[in-house]
Amino acid sequence: MMTVDDIFDDDRHNPPSERSLPWEETRGGVTVVVKPKPHWAEDMRAFRLDAREYCRYADWSAHGPRSRFYGHIDTSGDDVMLKARAMIAREIADGFWD
């Protein structure tokens, strides 16, 4: 039986543009959680792990911690990871992952 961590580890083997789960990246002492790109979006978003701020992933890739971050009313990187882990845990409990 797969665990939540196994599923996240398996997803990290894909290139960033093909990932379906969020992942953490750290540069210059700043950690963000990258939220995968939905089919309709122009770019992915990188949310600061401990603050309700985000930037475009392309900016993060090019500039790291010098990227321009924008305030977000209700989402931090920690929120993104918690929601994704809870979703996977529910799917495991419902028998979708064997």
Side-chain angles (χ1 to χ4, degrees):
M1 180 168 193
M2 295 185 80
T3 67
V4 172
D5 290 330
D6 293 337
I7 294 167
F8 272 88
D9 289 340
D10 189 47
D11 193 57
R12 281 189 205 103
H13 289 93
N14 296 320
S17 62
E18 296 177 15
R19 293 182 187 173
S20 59
L21 297 171
W23 68 93
E24 290 183 18
E25 289 186 13
T26 302
R27 295 183 188 171
V30 175
T31 301
V32 298
V33 173
V34 181
K35 189 173 183 180
K37 179 179 139 180
H39 70 281
W40 48 265
E42 179 182 323
D43 191 14
M44 294 181 278
R45 289 185 176 179
F47 290 86
R48 289 185 88 124
L49 182 64
D50 57 353
R52 297 189 188 291
E53 296 178 341
Y54 73 96
C55 68
R56 291 181 47 234
Y57 184 67
D59 290 342
W60 173 255
S61 294
H63 306 290
R66 293 186 319 275
S67 300
R68 182 172 179 184
F69 285 86
Y70 302 93
H72 196 282
I73 194 165
D74 63 357
T75 303
S76 69
D78 191 44
D79 297 329
V80 171
M81 288 302 284
L82 286 172
K83 288 177 187 176
R85 293 182 73 80
M87 176 192 71
I88 296 296
R90 281 191 307 273
E91 289 179 356
I92 290 171
D94 290 342
F96 295 121
W97 295 91
D98 290 327

